[in-house]
Amino acid sequence: GTADIGVTGLAVMGANLARNFARRGHTVALHNRSRARTDALVAEHGHEGAFIATETLEELVASLAVPRRVLIMVKAGAPVDGVIDQLVPLLEPGDIVIDAGNSHYEDTRRREAALAERGLHFVGVGVSGGEEGALNGPAIMPGGPKESYAALGPLLESIAAQYDGEPCCAWIGTDGAGHYVKMVHNGIEYADMQVIGEAYDLLRRVAGIEPAEQAEVFSAWNQTDLASYLIEITAEVLQQVDAATGRPLVDVIVDEAGQKGTGRWTAISGLDVGAPVAAIAESVFARSLSSQTAVREEARRTLAAGVTDAPVVDAQGRDAFVEDVRQALFASKLVAYAQGLDMLTAAAQEYGWSLDLGTIASLWRDGCIIRADLLDVIMRAFGGRDTERHPEPGARAEGQPANLLFAPEFTRAIAEALPAWRRVVAAAVAAGVPVPVFSSALAYYDGLRADRLPAALIQGQRDFFGAHTYRRTDRDGSFHTLWSDDRTEVDGDGTPV
Ligand code: 6PG
């Protein structure tokens, strides 16, 4: 065969990736379970490049140059296993199977191990940027065996978004690392969307700023250090007027947020690896709460507001409040990034991945949904992009801060935003406007920097009811107080101290 790559699964993401490859000069073999989609793609877009339409997976595989590269873009879960099972007998050692869907990283680890036994490379690839990105340049996060990147990387890099001449694509790490990093990208995406939502809610309910006017606020914010794709599209959504009713579209849309699972996976994995990703988890919970329609209905009728001294933001105080909310949004967003990057390090330790946070941040600068000016600053805080830098699993590369907030520019930025951030959370609480991520992010910040945490008391409680022991600030070893006896203290050997 002669094709550079085969694509199976030609729904919009697969079709757009196939077209992107073809537009970059690659010969692309096409396959879909039902032939109609393949034909439609060739009929509509055949002129964009070199396509080879095939009817069966056998034909698809036969049309490929060696080593064969087959990209699967079907619904995550069982459908991916179905395609892999059909493909494997058709392939030869050295061939590369690419899963570009939003698969769970544990599935990717399992599939990689199974295919490796047969000498095949399995590469789980995170792709972000939606339909638009898939066609014109997504951010691409490939995992899998490093050797496979020699044969696959250049192809992927050629279709990726480019930032300052650098492709938003680089090998992330072995087996499921690519899908894991894409998952965390989505967790951050959830948090970023939620903090924007909280800002909107505050501006509306505390300062009375209507959607059309808020569109201008968000457009103005897009000229500040908040500049990002999500802020930009927020302005677009807010200025949209519903044709049927003449009302702001946002007022006509049912306020129940959907989710396909990647944000939830991020929160679950954060719990698994022991990383405190509370702001990300809160953004998932906020979507879940929004969807509890019947309970919300009853709560609206029965639960008190308890709001007595709601803050009043009049025309005079408006600009100051808007600026406060902007700063609170920025600080909360930074915390979401700090938590997401922190969990990458914890996961690297758990799964033996060598992850370079500077390079990962560089991939998110363009093409993906969380693309933002901030990502270039984050990349630089982690020593810039260096695709050959592979720290020890679970360690940060030399010179990289242990937490994003320790990078001097961010330590400073948060310090400047703090007074506004505290004012906004206090105002939200007083007004009864829920700000789960603004407030959780602030609690994370205050928790990190606290001299003493009530964790000491929790250790005392655990020791009381379960003899779980505690450590002392002034001596090594573990200790237990004989709570139900004479309350003397014993050391790890049970010897009174
Ligand atoms: C992306 C998006 C993409 C998808 C999300 C939506 O990076 O391009 O994250 O992968 O749109 O999975 O997720 P929810 O449906 O869960 O909001």
Side-chain angles (χ1 to χ4, degrees):
T2 54
D4 300 303
I5 189 158
V7 178
T8 180
L10 299 176
V12 63
M13 287 298 287
N16 282 1
L17 284 176
R19 291 171 60 198
N20 191 346
F21 281 119
R23 288 169 167 199
R24 302 284 162 186
H26 307 294
T27 300
V28 185
L30 302 171
H31 174 263
N32 192 66
R33 207 166 43 156
S34 69
R35 173 72 195 240
R37 274 192 201 273
T38 314
D39 292 339
L41 200 163
V42 174
E44 280 170 55
H45 305 289
H47 62 279
E48 291 176 2
F51 294 106
I52 301 173
T54 71
E55 179 95 36
T56 61
L57 283 175
E58 285 81 356
E59 257 186 69
L60 179 80
V61 168
S63 69
L64 298 172
V66 178
R68 298 170 188 83
R69 292 167 291 209
V70 186
L71 185 145
I72 304 172
M73 190 49 127
V74 300
K75 205 167 146 26
V80 177
D81 287 311
V83 177
I84 291 173
D85 289 347
Q86 284 176 273
L87 266 178
V88 163
L90 309 172
L91 297 172
E92 289 175 336
D95 289 347
I96 305 173
V97 177
I98 304 134
D99 172 16
N102 270 332
S103 290
H104 192 278
Y105 65 97
E106 292 283 18
D107 286 337
T108 304
R109 287 163 57 78
R110 167 176 61 76
R111 290 165 183 151
E112 204 260 347
L115 267 65
E117 275 179 26
R118 315 187 61 141
L120 299 172
H121 295 300
F122 183 75
V123 182
V125 177
V127 177
S128 176
E131 298 171 13
E132 229 294 307
L135 184 60
N136 297 315
I140 306 181
M141 293 149 259
K146 180 142 201 229
E147 315 87 83
S148 67
Y149 200 75
L152 183 62
L155 205 62
L156 295 178
E157 290 180 10
S158 74
I159 65 156
Q162 309 283 319
Y163 184 97
D164 270 358
E166 287 172 327
C168 293
C169 174
W171 182 69
I172 299 277
T174 52
D175 58 75
H179 274 141
Y180 194 91
V181 167
K182 170 68 203 313
M183 177 192 78
V184 172
H185 162 286
N186 280 28
I188 295 171
E189 171 185 308
Y190 272 51
D192 202 350
M193 293 168 76
Q194 175 65 23
V195 287
I196 291 172
E198 291 174 16
Y200 152 78
D201 208 18
L202 283 167
L203 293 182
R204 189 120 190 232
R205 291 171 59 191
V206 176
I209 306 175
E210 294 301 306
E213 207 183 334
Q214 282 207 38
E216 288 166 32
V217 171
F218 279 94
S219 294
W221 286 359
N222 207 32
Q223 307 301 317
T224 70
D225 48 13
L226 277 180
S228 62
Y229 171 72
L230 284 170
I231 292 283
E232 183 188 322
I233 66 163
T234 297
E236 304 260 357
V237 173
L238 288 173
Q239 74 184 20
Q240 184 73 12
V241 174
D242 175 48
T245 60
R247 294 164 58 200
L249 179 67
V250 72
D251 287 349
V252 181
I253 297 176
V254 174
D255 60 344
E256 295 170 23
Q259 48 177 318
K260 289 203 287 285
T262 47
R264 178 162 39 86
W265 295 346
T266 312
I268 292 170
S269 177
L271 292 170
D272 279 341
V273 300
V277 292
I280 292 173
E282 284 294 351
S283 66
V284 183
F285 294 142
R287 289 196 190 189
S288 306
L289 186 147
S290 77
S291 299
Q292 291 202 318
T293 315
V295 177
R296 286 179 59 200
E297 175 66 42
E298 184 171 349
R300 260 198 299 278
R301 283 186 276 107
T302 51
L303 301 184
V307 171
T308 44
D309 52 355
V312 181
V313 176
D314 53 18
Q316 260 180 339
R318 215 199 72 141
D319 290 354
F321 184 71
V322 169
E323 176 57 15
D324 273 5
V325 172
R326 190 188 72 81
Q327 294 192 27
L329 171 47
F330 184 73
S332 304
K333 175 173 165 147
L334 265 186
V335 165
Y337 274 93
Q339 293 179 356
L341 295 169
D342 184 48
M343 83 180 274
L344 286 182
T345 302
Q349 205 158 34
E350 178 82 17
Y351 300 109
W353 296 324
S354 162
L355 302 181
D356 179 55
L357 300 185
T359 303
I360 289 168
S362 83
L363 306 185
W364 294 343
R365 288 178 299 172
D366 208 352
C368 64
I369 303 296
I370 63 172
R371 61 186 182 261
D373 287 4
L374 179 65
L375 260 323
D376 192 54
V377 190
I378 293 177
M379 179 200 78
R380 281 186 271 115
F382 284 100
R385 174 188 173 105
D386 179 354
T387 55
E388 289 311 313
R389 185 170 53 207
H390 302 302
E392 287 295 303
R396 298 219 163 157
E398 211 178 318
Q400 291 184 351
N403 186 295
L404 177 67
L405 306 180
F406 299 159
E409 57 273 48
F410 294 133
T411 304
R412 227 178 301 121
I414 292 249
E416 278 166 26
L418 257 180
W421 195 8
R422 294 197 191 286
R423 280 195 296 271
V424 166
V425 171
V429 171
V433 176
V435 284
V437 177
F438 275 18
S439 56
S440 159
L442 183 53
Y444 172 84
Y445 182 85
D446 284 331
L448 276 186
R449 51 164 290 284
D451 280 338
R452 294 276 299 159
L453 288 170
L457 177 58
I458 289 166
Q459 286 297 83
Q461 293 164 333
R462 293 178 69 240
D463 190 60
F464 188 102
F465 62 65
H468 294 295
T469 74
Y470 49 84
R471 288 181 296 119
R472 295 182 56 98
T473 56
D474 55 356
R475 255 175 295 159
D476 286 340
S478 61
F479 300 88
H480 168 54
T481 291
L482 302 171
W483 295 104
S484 46
D485 200 339
D486 63 356
R487 304 206 166 182
T488 55
E489 189 177 59
V490 296
D491 66 14
D493 305 323
T495 316
V497 288

Short mmCIF file of all heavy atoms in Angstrom, two decimals, residues 13 101-102 126-131 133-134 138-139 141 182-183 185-187 189-190 193 257-264 287 367-370, ligand 1:
data_model
loop_
_atom_site.label_atom_id
_atom_site.label_comp_id
_atom_site.label_asym_id
_atom_site.label_seq_id
_atom_site.Cartn_x
_atom_site.Cartn_y
_atom_site.Cartn_z
N MET A 13 -15.29 14.16 14.10
CA MET A 13 -13.89 14.30 14.53
C MET A 13 -12.95 13.50 13.63
O MET A 13 -11.91 14.00 13.21
CB MET A 13 -13.74 13.84 15.99
CG MET A 13 -14.30 14.79 17.03
SD MET A 13 -13.49 16.41 17.04
CE MET A 13 -11.90 16.01 17.78
N GLY A 101 -9.45 9.00 20.38
CA GLY A 101 -10.66 9.40 21.10
C GLY A 101 -10.36 9.76 22.55
O GLY A 101 -9.21 9.66 23.00
N ASN A 102 -11.41 10.14 23.28
CA ASN A 102 -11.24 10.48 24.70
C ASN A 102 -11.34 9.20 25.54
O ASN A 102 -12.24 9.04 26.35
CB ASN A 102 -12.33 11.46 25.15
CG ASN A 102 -11.91 12.91 24.97
OD1 ASN A 102 -10.72 13.24 25.00
ND2 ASN A 102 -12.88 13.78 24.77
N GLY A 126 -4.31 12.01 23.01
CA GLY A 126 -5.29 13.03 23.39
C GLY A 126 -5.35 14.08 22.30
O GLY A 126 -4.32 14.55 21.83
N VAL A 127 -6.56 14.40 21.88
CA VAL A 127 -6.74 15.43 20.85
C VAL A 127 -7.72 16.45 21.39
O VAL A 127 -8.82 16.10 21.82
CB VAL A 127 -7.30 14.82 19.54
CG1 VAL A 127 -7.54 15.92 18.50
CG2 VAL A 127 -6.35 13.77 18.98
N SER A 128 -7.34 17.70 21.38
CA SER A 128 -8.25 18.75 21.86
C SER A 128 -8.40 19.85 20.83
O SER A 128 -7.49 20.14 20.06
CB SER A 128 -7.74 19.37 23.15
OG SER A 128 -8.60 20.44 23.52
N GLY A 129 -9.58 20.45 20.85
CA GLY A 129 -9.83 21.58 19.98
C GLY A 129 -11.18 21.48 19.27
O GLY A 129 -11.52 22.32 18.45
N GLY A 130 -11.91 20.43 19.63
CA GLY A 130 -13.23 20.28 19.04
C GLY A 130 -13.14 20.02 17.54
O GLY A 130 -12.08 19.69 17.01
N GLU A 131 -14.27 20.17 16.86
CA GLU A 131 -14.35 19.89 15.43
C GLU A 131 -13.45 20.81 14.63
O GLU A 131 -12.74 20.38 13.71
CB GLU A 131 -15.80 20.09 14.96
CG GLU A 131 -16.77 19.17 15.63
CD GLU A 131 -18.22 19.52 15.31
OE1 GLU A 131 -18.44 20.33 14.38
OE2 GLU A 131 -19.10 18.99 15.99
N GLY A 133 -10.80 22.44 15.64
CA GLY A 133 -9.39 22.12 15.87
C GLY A 133 -8.96 20.90 15.08
O GLY A 133 -7.88 20.88 14.48
N ALA A 134 -9.81 19.88 15.07
CA ALA A 134 -9.45 18.65 14.36
C ALA A 134 -9.17 18.95 12.89
O ALA A 134 -8.26 18.40 12.29
CB ALA A 134 -10.58 17.63 14.48
N PRO A 138 -5.39 20.86 15.87
CA PRO A 138 -5.69 20.63 17.28
C PRO A 138 -4.41 20.63 18.12
O PRO A 138 -3.31 20.67 17.56
CB PRO A 138 -6.30 19.22 17.26
CG PRO A 138 -5.61 18.53 16.10
CD PRO A 138 -5.26 19.61 15.10
N ALA A 139 -4.57 20.57 19.44
CA ALA A 139 -3.46 20.23 20.31
C ALA A 139 -3.46 18.71 20.42
O ALA A 139 -4.53 18.10 20.55
CB ALA A 139 -3.63 20.87 21.68
N MET A 141 -1.74 15.16 22.12
CA MET A 141 -0.99 14.64 23.26
C MET A 141 -0.80 13.12 23.12
O MET A 141 -1.56 12.34 23.66
CB MET A 141 -1.75 14.98 24.55
CG MET A 141 -1.80 16.47 24.84
SD MET A 141 -3.31 17.01 25.73
CE MET A 141 -4.27 17.70 24.36
N LYS A 182 -4.56 14.53 28.48
CA LYS A 182 -5.77 15.08 27.86
C LYS A 182 -6.91 15.13 28.86
O LYS A 182 -7.69 16.08 28.91
CB LYS A 182 -6.17 14.28 26.63
CG LYS A 182 -7.56 14.63 26.06
CD LYS A 182 -7.59 16.02 25.46
CE LYS A 182 -8.93 16.70 25.37
NZ LYS A 182 -10.07 16.02 24.85
N MET A 183 -7.01 14.09 29.69
CA MET A 183 -8.05 14.06 30.71
C MET A 183 -7.89 15.23 31.68
O MET A 183 -8.87 15.93 32.00
CB MET A 183 -7.98 12.72 31.46
CG MET A 183 -8.96 12.58 32.60
SD MET A 183 -8.57 11.16 33.65
CE MET A 183 -7.21 11.83 34.62
N HIS A 185 -6.35 18.00 31.06
CA HIS A 185 -6.73 19.18 30.27
C HIS A 185 -8.24 19.41 30.40
O HIS A 185 -8.70 20.53 30.63
CB HIS A 185 -6.34 18.98 28.80
CG HIS A 185 -7.03 19.89 27.82
ND1 HIS A 185 -8.36 19.73 27.46
CD2 HIS A 185 -6.60 20.99 27.15
CE1 HIS A 185 -8.71 20.68 26.62
NE2 HIS A 185 -7.66 21.47 26.41
N ASN A 186 -9.02 18.35 30.27
CA ASN A 186 -10.47 18.50 30.35
C ASN A 186 -10.92 18.87 31.76
O ASN A 186 -11.87 19.63 31.92
CB ASN A 186 -11.16 17.23 29.88
CG ASN A 186 -11.23 17.14 28.36
OD1 ASN A 186 -10.38 17.69 27.67
ND2 ASN A 186 -12.21 16.45 27.84
N GLY A 187 -10.24 18.33 32.78
CA GLY A 187 -10.56 18.72 34.15
C GLY A 187 -10.35 20.21 34.34
O GLY A 187 -11.18 20.92 34.93
N GLU A 189 -10.37 22.36 31.97
CA GLU A 189 -11.42 22.96 31.12
C GLU A 189 -12.72 23.12 31.91
O GLU A 189 -13.35 24.19 31.89
CB GLU A 189 -11.61 22.07 29.89
CG GLU A 189 -12.79 22.39 28.99
CD GLU A 189 -12.94 21.34 27.85
OE1 GLU A 189 -11.95 21.06 27.15
OE2 GLU A 189 -14.05 20.80 27.69
N TYR A 190 -13.10 22.07 32.63
CA TYR A 190 -14.31 22.15 33.45
C TYR A 190 -14.20 23.29 34.48
O TYR A 190 -15.13 24.06 34.67
CB TYR A 190 -14.52 20.84 34.22
CG TYR A 190 -15.30 19.75 33.52
CD1 TYR A 190 -14.97 19.33 32.24
CD2 TYR A 190 -16.34 19.09 34.17
CE1 TYR A 190 -15.66 18.30 31.62
CE2 TYR A 190 -17.04 18.06 33.56
CZ TYR A 190 -16.69 17.67 32.28
OH TYR A 190 -17.38 16.65 31.69
N MET A 193 -14.32 26.73 32.82
CA MET A 193 -15.69 27.07 32.41
C MET A 193 -16.54 27.43 33.63
O MET A 193 -17.34 28.38 33.59
CB MET A 193 -16.33 25.88 31.67
CG MET A 193 -15.65 25.60 30.34
SD MET A 193 -16.15 24.02 29.63
CE MET A 193 -17.78 24.43 29.02
N ALA A 257 -26.04 21.44 33.20
CA ALA A 257 -24.83 21.23 32.41
C ALA A 257 -24.60 19.75 32.16
O ALA A 257 -24.63 18.94 33.09
CB ALA A 257 -23.63 21.85 33.10
N GLY A 258 -24.34 19.39 30.92
CA GLY A 258 -24.05 18.00 30.56
C GLY A 258 -22.60 17.67 30.83
O GLY A 258 -21.78 18.55 31.13
N GLN A 259 -22.28 16.41 30.76
CA GLN A 259 -20.89 15.98 30.87
C GLN A 259 -20.74 14.58 30.30
O GLN A 259 -21.59 13.74 30.49
CB GLN A 259 -20.38 16.03 32.31
CG GLN A 259 -21.30 15.40 33.34
CD GLN A 259 -20.68 15.43 34.73
OE1 GLN A 259 -19.51 15.17 34.93
NE2 GLN A 259 -21.51 15.77 35.72
N LYS A 260 -19.61 14.41 29.60
CA LYS A 260 -19.41 13.10 28.98
C LYS A 260 -18.44 12.24 29.78
O LYS A 260 -18.23 11.09 29.42
CB LYS A 260 -18.92 13.28 27.55
CG LYS A 260 -20.05 13.81 26.64
CD LYS A 260 -19.83 13.50 25.18
CE LYS A 260 -18.76 14.35 24.58
NZ LYS A 260 -19.18 15.73 24.33
N GLY A 261 -17.83 12.76 30.83
CA GLY A 261 -17.07 11.87 31.71
C GLY A 261 -15.63 12.24 32.00
O GLY A 261 -15.10 11.83 33.03
N THR A 262 -15.00 13.01 31.13
CA THR A 262 -13.57 13.25 31.34
C THR A 262 -13.28 14.10 32.59
O THR A 262 -12.28 13.90 33.25
CB THR A 262 -12.92 13.91 30.12
OG1 THR A 262 -13.76 14.99 29.70
CG2 THR A 262 -12.79 12.92 28.98
N GLY A 263 -14.17 15.03 32.90
CA GLY A 263 -14.00 15.83 34.12
C GLY A 263 -14.15 14.96 35.35
O GLY A 263 -13.37 15.05 36.31
N ARG A 264 -15.15 14.09 35.30
CA ARG A 264 -15.38 13.16 36.42
C ARG A 264 -14.17 12.24 36.60
O ARG A 264 -13.70 12.03 37.71
CB ARG A 264 -16.66 12.35 36.14
CG ARG A 264 -16.99 11.32 37.18
CD ARG A 264 -18.47 10.88 37.08
NE ARG A 264 -18.94 10.75 35.70
CZ ARG A 264 -18.79 9.64 34.96
NH1 ARG A 264 -18.22 8.57 35.49
NH2 ARG A 264 -19.24 9.60 33.72
N ARG A 287 -21.73 20.77 37.98
CA ARG A 287 -22.54 20.28 36.85
C ARG A 287 -23.56 19.25 37.34
O ARG A 287 -24.71 19.25 36.90
CB ARG A 287 -21.64 19.64 35.79
CG ARG A 287 -20.80 20.65 35.02
CD ARG A 287 -20.23 20.02 33.75
NE ARG A 287 -19.23 20.89 33.14
CZ ARG A 287 -18.69 20.69 31.94
NH1 ARG A 287 -19.04 19.63 31.22
NH2 ARG A 287 -17.79 21.52 31.46
N GLY A 367 -4.64 25.62 19.83
CA GLY A 367 -5.35 24.46 19.31
C GLY A 367 -6.39 23.89 20.24
O GLY A 367 -7.45 23.45 19.79
N CYS A 368 -6.13 23.88 21.55
CA CYS A 368 -7.04 23.18 22.46
C CYS A 368 -8.05 24.15 23.07
O CYS A 368 -7.98 25.37 22.89
CB CYS A 368 -6.24 22.50 23.57
SG CYS A 368 -5.33 23.64 24.62
N ILE A 369 -9.00 23.58 23.81
CA ILE A 369 -10.08 24.39 24.37
C ILE A 369 -9.58 25.34 25.46
O ILE A 369 -10.12 26.44 25.63
CB ILE A 369 -11.20 23.46 24.94
CG1 ILE A 369 -11.73 22.51 23.85
CG2 ILE A 369 -12.33 24.28 25.54
CD1 ILE A 369 -12.42 23.16 22.68
N ILE A 370 -8.56 24.95 26.22
CA ILE A 370 -8.09 25.84 27.31
C ILE A 370 -6.98 26.79 26.85
O ILE A 370 -6.32 27.43 27.66
CB ILE A 370 -7.62 25.03 28.55
CG1 ILE A 370 -6.41 24.14 28.24
CG2 ILE A 370 -8.77 24.21 29.13
CD1 ILE A 370 -5.81 23.48 29.49
C1 6PG B 1 -11.61 19.23 23.69
C2 6PG B 1 -12.87 18.97 24.45
C3 6PG B 1 -13.56 17.76 23.91
C4 6PG B 1 -14.99 17.61 24.32
C5 6PG B 1 -15.16 17.51 25.80
C6 6PG B 1 -16.49 17.97 26.25
O1 6PG B 1 -10.58 19.29 24.35
O2 6PG B 1 -11.68 19.39 22.48
O3 6PG B 1 -12.55 18.76 25.79
O4 6PG B 1 -12.76 16.65 24.21
O5 6PG B 1 -15.73 18.63 23.80
O6 6PG B 1 -15.01 16.15 26.12
O7 6PG B 1 -16.68 17.42 27.48
P1 6PG B 1 -18.06 17.39 28.20
O8 6PG B 1 -19.08 16.93 27.20
O9 6PG B 1 -17.82 16.40 29.29
O10 6PG B 1 -18.30 18.78 28.67
#
